[in-house]
Amino acid sequence: MIFTFFIVFFFSISMAAQDEATLNLELFLHLQSLDSTDEDQTIDYVLKGDPNWVQQYLNGNELVTLKYQVDSLFALRSSIAEVRKWLQQPKSIRIESYFDKGQLLTYPEDTCMLNNNNAIGIHDGQQFVVPLDGSDVLLGIIDDGFDWQHPDFLNADSSTRFMYLWDQSSQELSYAETFFGYGAEWSKQQIDQYLITHTPKNHGSHVLGTAAGNGRASNKFKGLAPGSNIGAVSVRLSNFQASFVDAVHY
């Protein structure tokens, strides 16, 4: 059995884009929503940076109040204008502040990440000649387990989007995986017939939702490839390295 697919393996998810990477999402959106008349607004925030450089920057700067310091983390208070100055400094690693989301978000909360990653335009066909939503793609994921009954992983006819699911830790002999010789494997047909005994896990379900959820559960919260089929491996944590390599080969 040979498949070509994308492997999505996230034990952590990070944003990578200049200001968005330097700022947490709420502070980034807050700064985006302000105009020149708001630059004197005072906020509290935490800055991470080289301690020696930050201390040198703060010396004699009466416009920024240092509340306290823990290693490379500095709890500060200043105007928005001073926050923007920090952003111009290459040694500012991270700045975070939090606000009331109800007053902050400038577009529906469930579309924030899709907008930030230009996914909506790709889904709608605005970025390319044709819409791209993962249709006709088998998306592969390796994680700790998956909620195979979740509506976001079902087609419109309520059939599963999982083409195969291999649970490396399962002792279900009736559906033993025979090529690698351990765990249990279920096909789409067997999953649709509820013959699967795989136990869902939170982390894998969350990551799969980010990658491929289609939003059927609540008509929102779509992932990046909502039209894709799914090939999944619930990886065995014992002898993890060898199990992971088997999962990639699968």
Side-chain angles (χ1 to χ4, degrees):
M1 178 191 324
I2 300 176
F3 293 106
T4 300
F5 55 78
F6 296 106
I7 300 229
V8 181
F9 185 68
F10 297 151
F11 279 118
S12 63
I13 299 175
S14 60
M15 298 170 58
Q18 298 177 349
D19 279 0
E20 293 95 325
T22 306
L23 302 170
N24 67 304
L25 177 61
E26 292 187 21
L27 181 54
F28 171 73
L29 291 176
H30 187 65
L31 294 184
Q32 293 289 98
S33 69
L34 300 178
D35 57 37
S36 58
T37 63
D38 299 312
E39 293 299 291
D40 291 334
Q41 180 185 119
T42 299
I43 65 169
D44 293 293
Y45 54 96
V46 174
L47 179 140
K48 181 177 182 180
D50 176 76
N52 293 328
W53 168 77
V54 175
Q55 289 286 4
Q56 182 179 359
Y57 187 91
L58 290 173
N59 284 341
N61 188 344
E62 298 180 354
L63 299 178
V64 181
T65 299
L66 171 63
K67 296 190 292 183
Y68 53 87
Q69 173 192 355
V70 179
D71 297 327
S72 61
L73 297 176
F74 293 79
L76 305 173
R77 177 181 294 129
S78 75
S79 67
I80 293 293
E82 292 302 312
V83 174
R84 296 193 193 279
K85 290 181 182 179
W86 285 114
L87 289 174
Q88 304 306 313
Q89 304 297 326
K91 294 185 180 181
S92 294
I93 299 173
R94 181 77 171 171
I95 305 174
E96 296 191 3
S97 187
Y98 295 87
F99 305 86
D100 180 355
K101 291 184 179 181
Q103 299 176 14
L104 169 64
L105 298 178
T106 57
Y107 37 73
E109 188 174 352
D110 62 292
T111 64
C112 287
M113 291 299 97
L114 294 178
N115 272 304
N116 282 356
N117 291 283
N118 297 318
I120 291 179
I122 294 173
H123 291 169
D124 294 343
Q126 299 172 17
Q127 302 291 329
F128 299 100
V129 177
V130 296
L132 298 175
D133 66 352
S135 297
D136 300 320
V137 169
L138 179 63
L139 182 145
I141 180 166
I142 303 169
D143 213 301
D144 64 355
F146 315 95
D147 188 353
W148 52 273
Q149 297 184 86
H150 196 286
D152 282 9
F153 308 137
L154 301 179
N155 294 305
D157 62 0
S158 295
S159 63
T160 185
R161 293 169 58 202
F162 285 89
M163 297 289 98
Y164 289 92
L165 195 160
W166 176 24
D167 184 336
Q168 294 183 339
S169 301
S170 176
Q171 303 297 317
E172 178 59 76
L173 298 179
S174 299
Y175 300 95
E177 202 291 321
T178 56
F179 182 87
F180 296 94
Y182 64 96
E185 175 196 50
W186 295 272
S187 66
K188 171 180 170 60
Q189 182 179 10
Q190 291 164 338
I191 296 171
D192 280 335
Q193 294 174 350
Y194 289 90
L195 300 176
I196 184 171
T197 57
H198 170 68
T199 302
K201 297 292 180 64
N202 291 334
H203 189 278
S205 300
H206 169 79
V207 172
L208 182 56
T210 302
N214 61 18
R216 289 187 73 238
S218 59
N219 294 316
K220 57 181 180 178
F221 304 122
K222 286 185 178 180
L224 290 177
S228 64
N229 292 319
I230 301 166
V233 179
S234 175
V235 71
R236 182 177 59 176
L237 296 181
S238 61
N239 197 10
F240 174 79
Q241 185 178 44
S243 300
F244 176 68
V245 172
D246 286 350
V248 174
H249 184 66
Y250 177 86

